[in-house]
Amino acid sequence: MSRILVTGAAGFLGSFLCDRLLEDGHEVIGMDNRVSGQTENLEDAFYHDRFTLYEHDVTEFIHISGELDAVLHLASLASPVFYRDHPIKTLKVGALGTHKTLGLAKEKDATYLFTSTSEVYGDPEVNPQPESYRGNVDPYGPRSCYDESKRYGESLVRAYRDKHELDVRVARIFNTYGPRMRLDDGRVIPNFMKQALTGEDLTVYGDGEQTRSFCYVSDLIDGLVALLESDVEEPVNIGNPDERSINELAEIVLEVTGSDSGITHEELPPQDPQVRRPDISKVRSELGWEPEVSLRDGLRKSLGYFEERV
Ligand SMILES: NC(=O)c1ccc[n+]([C@@H]2O[C@H](COP(=O)([O-])OP(=O)(O)OC[C@H]3O[C@@H](n4cnc5c(N)ncnc54)[C@H](O)[C@@H]3O)[C@@H](O)[C@H]2O)c1
């Protein structure tokens, strides 16, 4: 059994990761300031006496008594709506929060896992995006608080690896969806599910021909655990390469929900990436991981959750 700190534990991915680590027999300390997370996501985790939750802001000094085997840093503002509302908090959690959690990992001689993002590639000029692609990010653009905080975070992780020989992992996560996503967080799948289930028109930004690749949450969690258990210290893309246009996604959501909602188009937000698809050759060859849940199946698995919430 290992003793593991998970920051961002009350969030969408953090809570599923806590559940998985507890199922695997570990002791888990969750940390969250609930700026976007919800304690109810941790209902299953609280059944285990090996789980504790600390309400704490990771940009402040962190003290944990006793040993730690791993520090998994998921805390962040993670959806466009939240990071547009809280740009300074977003920069602070990616910069100061990553610094504080790296310091803790160094003190405890723990393995450190950083959850980076496909947004480090910005509006990419190559598709699919391999890890070697250096990205196309506007440092002064409307999305830069998120993109640049994660790019800075990766750089800090690299510096701790080189300078302090810290054992590190970097996951570049591509769009992931499933139960426990907030209906108001502005990401496209909760938006469409809510609109389809309440009979509203689905809002498509721009002409809807921009693409995304959607990974179901259980696949993503398997990938994160496989990365943690590996010795791969370079960044690794984790996502589903099944690329779909937003128009296609809208049609599939209408089919899965059985909704007769229509579709309306609104202006595309500035600097919205035109394409997004992970090249997963590296994670396939080095970790033997690949996603198993199709988009239709993942949406069907999520349907009950969204029906309860609307
Ligand atoms: N879900 C995705 O599609 C996706 C894609 C790429 C990267 N990621 C990354 O994965 C991680 C988890 O994302 P998520 O989708 O679960 O987001 P989420 O918003 O559901 O969870 C993030 C959690 O971090 C917490 N948090 C934020 N700032 C904090 C602070 N200063 N101190 C303590 N806690 C804080 C929030 O309260 C929330 O519970 C994030 O780092 C995100 O950038 C997610």
Side-chain angles (χ1 to χ4, degrees), residues 58-170:
V58 295
T59 67
E60 306 289 337
F61 175 75
I62 304 172
H63 171 74
I64 302 281
S65 53
E67 295 187 356
L68 277 178
D69 300 291
V71 173
L72 316 184
H73 182 37
L74 281 79
S76 180
L77 281 309
S79 87
V81 166
F82 281 103
Y83 60 72
R84 260 198 311 265
D85 287 350
H86 303 286
I88 297 171
K89 280 191 166 71
T90 305
L91 282 156
K92 282 175 76 175
V93 70
L96 299 177
T98 304
H99 192 198
K100 295 280 188 291
T101 50
L102 278 164
L104 179 72
K106 176 174 167 267
E107 175 202 329
K108 304 287 186 187
D109 196 18
T111 298
Y112 185 86
L113 184 144
F114 180 62
T115 49
S116 185
T117 168
S118 55
E119 300 295 331
V120 298
Y121 302 124
D123 188 6
E125 296 139 315
V126 299
N127 197 38
Q129 296 84 54
E131 289 83 352
S132 56
Y133 178 53
R134 293 177 190 176
N136 177 32
V137 174
D138 175 357
Y140 201 69
R143 308 167 69 97
S144 76
C145 60
Y146 184 64
D147 304 4
E148 296 292 7
S149 79
K150 291 289 187 179
R151 288 169 69 99
Y152 174 83
E154 286 199 18
S155 176
L156 206 52
V157 171
R158 170 71 195 248
Y160 268 72
R161 184 189 89 164
D162 292 350
K163 190 78 187 158
H164 299 301
E165 294 175 2
L166 195 69
D167 184 34
V168 301
R169 312 281 180 272
V170 177

Side-chain angles (χ1 to χ4, degrees), residues 28 31 39 41 50 55 58 69 103 109 159 168 178 190 199 219 224 286 294:
V28 177
M31 185 171 283
T39 316
N41 288 342
R50 285 176 281 106
E55 190 160 334
V58 295
D69 300 291
D109 196 18
V168 301
D219 280 336
L224 285 183
E286 301 215 14
S294 71

Side-chain angles (χ1 to χ4, degrees), residues 210-227:
Q210 68 275 29
T211 65
R212 296 292 183 271
S213 307
F214 298 99
C215 185
Y216 187 64
V217 61
S218 59
D219 280 336
L220 193 280
I221 297 298
D222 287 347
L224 285 183
V225 171
L227 178 61

